[in-house]
Amino acid sequence: MFSTLDMHILEILCEDARVTPHEMAVMTGSDEATVNRALESLREAGVLVGCQTLINWERTQREFVQAVIEVNVLPQREKGFDAIAQRIMQYDEVKSLYLMSGAYDLMVLCEAATLRELAQFVHSRLSVIEGVTGTSTHFMLKTYKYGGVIFEPGADDRREAVMP
């Protein structure tokens, strides 16, 4: 379904989304028009769904609270977990949502300006959704690594850089 070029482009973008189609063409040994067609095809197929910049917000003045919320739910007949997930993901506080195996069903990554706002979201909107049987909230205190990127490398970190 996906060509070797498609997969190579995805790997390049995963490492650095700022790479231009011209640079991708050089890196893959293709021409820029072919790369542009592949990019468009990947967008149309729903494989490329967005592009974000990775920011270490802890080094800024921005005040916010992040939490991982474990959610247990009763799956709905004919719809499973999808109907409840569709409802949960509509909230602005929800940044990511995953169906999980194990002790809980859904993992919700949330963010709000204050602890009070996040608590309000959990007890007034999330936990009262029909089918939600329980939640467990874990607040994030510090980010060490995200998306494969180390945020706070130690001064004594003597590991060698891994190069592709």
Side-chain angles (χ1 to χ4, degrees):
M1 179 173 181
F2 295 103
S3 70
T4 303
L5 176 62
D6 292 337
M7 298 307 290
H8 197 176
I9 288 171
L10 292 172
E11 290 169 4
I12 291 168
L13 289 172
C14 194
E15 287 297 315
D16 186 354
R18 298 172 297 176
V19 176
T20 66
H22 174 75
E23 292 168 324
M24 281 186 245
V26 172
M27 295 167 83
T28 62
S30 300
D31 61 86
E32 192 171 344
T34 302
V35 168
N36 281 322
R37 282 193 300 275
L39 287 167
E40 186 58 33
S41 175
L42 290 166
R43 285 185 195 97
E44 288 174 3
V47 175
L48 285 178
V49 293
C51 185
Q52 295 182 329
T53 301
L54 188 57
I55 299 170
N56 185 350
W57 288 109
E58 294 171 12
R59 291 191 170 220
T60 70
Q61 304 305 314
R62 181 172 177 243
E63 294 292 326
F64 64 99
V65 178
Q66 293 178 309
V68 174
I69 304 171
E70 300 171 355
V71 182
N72 285 313
V73 300
L74 291 173
Q76 296 180 353
R77 180 171 290 231
E78 307 289 326
K79 297 179 183 177
F81 297 98
D82 293 345
I84 294 172
Q86 288 288 332
R87 184 153 178 211
I88 292 172
M89 76 171 89
Q90 301 304 313
Y91 291 109
D92 291 337
E93 292 87 352
V94 176
K95 301 304 176 193
S96 299
L97 176 61
Y98 303 91
L99 178 62
M100 305 295 292
S101 65
Y104 55 94
D105 302 309
L106 299 174
M107 180 175 69
V108 185
L109 300 179
C110 291
E111 185 177 298
T114 67
L115 179 65
R116 182 180 305 250
E117 286 180 23
L118 196 52
Q120 179 78 19
F121 166 72
V122 173
H123 80 58
S124 296
R125 291 185 273 163
L126 181 61
S127 63
V128 298
I129 294 173
E130 186 175 341
V132 170
T133 61
T135 64
S136 179
T137 302
H138 308 275
F139 293 98
M140 293 183 194
L141 304 178
K142 181 176 181 177
T143 302
Y144 292 101
K145 186 175 183 178
Y146 180 80
V149 177
I150 296 172
F151 273 40
E152 300 290 335
D156 61 348
D157 188 355
R158 292 186 210 116
R159 294 176 294 172
E160 291 185 23
V162 177
M163 302 300 268

